[in-house]
Amino acid sequence: MTLARATGVILAKELRTEFRSRELLGTTVVFVLIVIVLFSFTFNPTSSESRRFGPGLLWLAFLFAGSLMLQSSFLREQTNDTLAALRLAPIDPFSILAGKMAANFMFLLLVEVILLPVFAVLYNVAIFPVLGQLLLVLALGTIGIAATGTVFSAVAAQARLRELLLPLLLLPVLAPVLIASTEATIGVLRDPSELSLVWLTFLACFDVVFLTAAWMVGEYLLEE
């Protein structure tokens, strides 16, 4: 079975599992909405302040969403030793990681798309004129979060204190992605809008480097 086909099979399995229950997506959406609403009532920012501070709060909410969703990436496979069965299948080990990365990316992006209109209304920020640029920044930043989180979720799933270990491993590595994504979003929401190619290039390079590293060490990450 080719890498692309195996990745597609894993992705389809992840999507079916989540959309049958919708527990993880529902919980994450509700949690992040509460965070955004609380930030709004706490700071009560003006339109100019929202364009300055809003992107940081937005990506902080996305980080909370990622922390919730990525924690269970490999925990589901621990229950019935599903991961061991997947590793015995005649497929490239990286396809397991790639399928889960793709699923996590879709889940996170769906949460972000749901959250954006709420953010625009509460923080009085016009996002529709710059929606294309904003979605590009979201996509590049979310790829970094999903790829990094999936890899470290595979590492933490084998540990005893997995719930504590994942944030400790993840947050230092994600700091550059969050900073770059926040700075790029600030530029997009600025009046006039200015999409920084420097931050976009940084995000793209981070994604490529980390995906390549995951491909090279994928087999070792999935070992018991």
Side-chain angles (χ1 to χ4, degrees):
M1 187 180 293
T2 63
L3 175 62
R5 185 179 176 186
T7 300
V9 171
I10 300 296
L11 172 60
K13 178 188 79 70
E14 294 293 316
L15 295 178
R16 282 196 306 270
T17 302
E18 176 56 35
F19 285 114
R20 280 174 181 171
S21 63
R22 294 185 293 274
E23 294 179 357
L24 188 58
L25 277 174
T27 304
T28 304
V29 169
V30 171
F31 176 76
V32 177
L33 283 176
I34 291 174
V35 171
I36 289 294
V37 172
L38 285 178
F39 282 161
S40 174
F41 281 103
T42 301
F43 294 103
N44 193 24
T46 63
S47 180
S48 60
E49 290 175 339
S50 295
R51 288 194 292 268
R52 291 174 55 197
F53 304 117
L57 300 177
L58 187 66
W59 280 99
L60 185 61
F62 293 162
L63 176 62
F64 290 155
S67 299
L68 281 176
M69 301 189 76
L70 295 168
Q71 184 75 54
S72 62
S73 290
F74 284 87
L75 290 182
R76 292 171 176 172
E77 317 297 348
Q78 299 291 323
T79 305
N80 298 314
D81 290 330
T82 312
L83 184 59
L86 288 175
R87 292 180 63 246
L88 291 174
I91 58 176
D92 190 325
F94 178 67
S95 63
I96 302 174
L97 282 175
K100 288 184 174 291
M101 286 178 186
N104 288 330
F105 169 76
M106 291 182 180
F107 294 150
L108 284 173
L109 197 61
L110 178 59
V111 172
E112 292 166 4
V113 170
I114 294 173
L115 189 62
L116 276 181
V118 180
F119 171 79
V121 171
L122 291 178
Y123 291 82
N124 193 24
V125 176
I127 63 172
F128 291 103
V130 294
L131 186 58
Q133 298 177 354
L134 189 56
L135 288 177
L136 176 60
V137 175
L138 288 178
L140 290 175
T142 306
I143 289 173
I145 295 174
T148 309
T150 304
V151 168
F152 283 111
S153 177
V155 175
Q158 311 297 331
R160 293 181 179 178
L161 300 176
R162 58 179 69 92
E163 292 82 4
L164 179 62
L165 183 60
L166 181 60
L168 292 177
L169 293 173
L170 195 57
L171 292 180
V173 180
L174 280 184
V177 176
L178 295 174
I179 293 172
S181 300
T182 300
E183 291 293 337
T185 306
I186 290 174
V188 170
L189 298 181
R190 186 178 295 142
D191 189 19
S193 177
E194 181 184 354
L195 183 60
S196 174
L197 293 179
V198 174
W199 294 116
L200 284 183
T201 303
F202 178 88
L203 287 172
C205 290
F206 181 93
D207 295 344
V208 170
V209 169
F210 210 90
L211 287 171
T212 303
W215 171 69
M216 294 176 64
V217 301
E219 182 176 359
Y220 303 101
L221 288 174
L222 299 177
E223 289 182 353
E224 295 290 341

